[in-house]
Amino acid sequence: MPTFAIRLARFAGRLLSVLAAVATPVVFFLVTIVLTDGAGSGLGAWSTTLGVGAVAALWWGRRRTRAARLVPFLPVVVAAALTASVCVPTVPTARRYPPALPFVATQHWSLATGSRVAVYHYPPANAGTRRPIPLVYLNGGPVRGISVLDHRFLQLLARQGYDVHAYETAGGGRSDLLPMGQYTISRSVRDLAAFVDRLHKGRVDFLGFSSGAVVLTRALADPRVAARLHRAIIAEPGPMDGPTAHITGHKGQPSARGLAPAMTGPRSTHVPRYAVAFGLMRLGLLTPDTGLIGQAEGDNAFTAADLGSDTASAYCARDAHRIPAEDTAQNFSFSPAASLRVEQTIKDSPSIAPQLRRSRTPAMLMIAECSSQVRQWATAVLARDPAIQRTQYMPGVGHHMWNGLDDNNDRAAAVITAFLEDEPAPLPNSPTRDEIPAFLRDHG
């Protein structure tokens, strides 16, 4: 038995030595990927690693017998094979756009900003109930296609007499891509203004959700853009500027994150190339414009399952085991690199509070009970925008308030239509500005 134990220990030691020998060039490769920002699809880092590894193997084997000189090359060859998978695309590198939706026509509008965006129109279902002011929807993302779940909600608003328009932000869904450096929150606001001008229907109402609510909030802070808006609904906003983005604190009631079953379906992050690219980008070690993967390739690779628990975080804990399918695999579109780029421009932006305090566009704020958003992101808007006329705290729903469960769509529509028609609110006006401290204490 002692002899066997000794042999086992020796084997384990040799195995660990081999693994360490393989791990060293792999780590060197990843460090080089970061230092070169993935230049040449990672081939620069790969060839550098191979070259340095070969020189090191020659050095270590210089005093060995001829046959033994090949041994130090083994971990280099193994590491080269492993890391080569990071340099080889497994999806098309030219953008694959989602196919046309069967229930609504896709138009493409060229805006004055240079963006070419996909546009959807839901005219009033009954001409006799047509509302005079068009309603434009800004979806979340920041750079993401409009989900089928959201399209169904827009159809509901059209059935209630609204002339509903929506567009996917540049780079999202069926909209054309932009050069990576042009994805900024300021560009999103300029696109909003250009879209209203292209619509040719005078001032319009806006419903902005999540990152779309951020774009809308910043539009309200720009008098030149705000002049195009009739009324604004800010639903579950993200941080509106740099100071707000750095706030940490209260969140809503527990969401389904960590409780819902894991999302099924293929994940790009199970492929070494995209696991490395998206992981290092998320950590800030690669730029969104990295040479490792192009924007189009990243968009093609990213799947709904890659969102992981982010989807569950948009629903209440009580709904963990009945989260609806928000989208189809064919329609789903998300640009991780462009979204990170837009988010970074928000974090880097100065406070818009002084400009927002001069806002005069009638606005409403919607806050979900089980919101995964930091509460102060919403209350900061409420505190600084004097034109917010009402706040609607939506019980029983998470971040994605219109989600097709129970009567949630109807309740959200009732809140929205009451504000747009200047009718009494179906829910108490809460929190008010004076109630913000108590709201953060009691509902966080």
Side-chain angles (χ1 to χ4, degrees):
M1 184 62 70
T3 302
F4 173 76
I6 292 172
R7 289 176 179 175
L8 184 60
R10 288 174 179 172
F11 173 78
R14 289 170 183 168
L15 180 61
L16 289 174
S17 297
V18 171
L19 291 176
V22 172
T24 299
V26 170
V27 171
F28 181 87
F29 169 77
L30 293 176
V31 170
T32 309
I33 282 282
V34 172
L35 293 176
T36 61
D37 199 26
S41 196
L43 290 173
W46 185 82
S47 58
T48 300
T49 301
L50 185 59
V52 171
V55 170
L58 287 171
W59 173 262
W60 286 110
R62 72 189 187 282
R63 294 180 180 177
R64 300 188 181 191
T65 63
R66 180 171 298 180
R69 289 176 187 172
L70 297 177
V71 174
F73 284 91
L74 179 60
V76 177
V77 172
V78 173
L82 291 174
T83 55
S85 61
V86 177
C87 306
V88 180
T90 60
V91 300
T93 56
R95 182 71 174 105
R96 292 184 306 182
Y97 292 94
L101 291 165
F103 49 82
V104 64
T106 304
Q107 304 176 56
H108 284 91
W109 288 7
S110 295
L111 304 181
T113 56
S115 299
R116 187 171 182 268
V117 297
V119 180
Y120 309 93
H121 180 209
Y122 292 103
N126 185 344
T129 60
R130 185 185 187 98
R131 315 281 180 166
I133 307 293
L135 174 63
V136 176
Y137 176 61
L138 296 173
N139 67 301
V143 185
R144 180 176 180 174
I146 299 175
S147 69
V148 170
L149 201 61
D150 282 0
H151 276 289
R152 290 177 185 150
F153 184 65
L154 300 182
Q155 290 172 323
L156 171 61
L157 294 175
R159 289 196 297 272
Q160 297 186 358
Y162 289 94
D163 187 23
V164 181
H165 301 260
Y167 69 93
E168 291 169 319
T169 56
R174 296 164 184 82
S175 295
D176 287 4
L177 306 182
L178 294 175
M180 188 58 66
Q182 294 186 25
Y183 289 108
T184 65
I185 189 61
S186 298
R187 174 62 171 264
S188 298
V189 174
R190 294 197 301 273
D191 281 350
L192 179 154
F195 180 83
V196 176
D197 292 343
R198 177 73 170 73
L199 195 59
H200 297 308
K201 293 193 175 182
R203 293 197 302 162
V204 302
D205 294 328
F206 266 92
L207 167 61
F209 166 64
S210 193
S211 59
V214 176
V215 176
L216 183 55
T217 300
R218 294 181 69 98
L220 294 173
D222 186 334
R224 297 166 299 179
V225 181
R228 297 168 168 87
L229 311 184
H230 178 255
R231 283 181 173 249
I233 300 170
I234 302 166
E236 280 287 283
M240 64 182 179
D241 53 26
T244 312
H246 290 93
I247 292 176
T248 59
H250 304 271
K251 292 189 178 181
Q253 296 303 306
S255 75
R257 181 187 290 269
L259 301 174
M263 292 189 69
T264 59
R267 293 174 181 258
S268 68
T269 47
H270 288 170
V271 179
R273 176 172 176 81
Y274 306 112
V276 170
F278 295 146
L280 293 179
M281 273 194 282
R282 193 68 184 174
L283 292 171
L285 299 176
L286 288 181
T287 67
D289 202 17
T290 175
L292 183 56
I293 60 170
Q295 177 188 174
E297 182 189 349
D299 293 3
N300 293 339
F302 202 88
T303 68
D306 285 321
L307 292 174
S309 58
D310 283 355
T311 297
S313 70
Y315 293 84
C316 290
R318 66 180 73 95
D319 296 325
H321 294 281
R322 60 167 193 158
I323 293 176
E326 294 192 341
D327 215 344
T328 63
Q330 294 75 27
N331 185 65
F332 177 81
S333 171
F334 183 83
S335 177
S339 292
L340 285 173
R341 165 74 182 164
V342 173
E343 289 173 354
Q344 189 60 51
T345 64
I346 295 173
K347 294 176 182 177
D348 293 341
S349 67
S351 172
I352 63 169
Q355 295 83 4
L356 193 58
R357 289 191 182 98
R358 296 193 289 269
S359 176
R360 296 296 178 267
T361 304
M364 178 178 72
L365 180 65
M366 296 176 71
I367 305 175
E369 178 187 7
C370 310
S371 178
S372 57
Q373 307 284 81
V374 174
R375 289 299 197 195
Q376 287 94 327
W377 294 347
T379 57
V381 180
L382 175 61
R384 291 164 178 78
D385 185 351
I388 291 181
Q389 298 179 345
R390 65 178 72 166
T391 303
Q392 300 285 269
Y393 177 73
M394 305 291 292
V397 294
H399 180 59
H400 205 156
M401 293 182 284
W402 40 87
N403 52 38
L405 297 176
D406 303 327
D407 63 344
N408 292 341
N409 283 16
D410 291 330
R411 291 196 296 127
V415 164
I416 290 167
T417 57
F419 174 71
L420 294 178
E421 301 307 313
D422 201 18
E423 296 174 350
L427 297 172
N429 179 29
S430 176
T432 63
R433 290 177 187 84
D434 294 339
E435 294 171 343
I436 289 177
F439 174 77
L440 295 176
R441 182 184 65 247
D442 299 338
H443 295 280

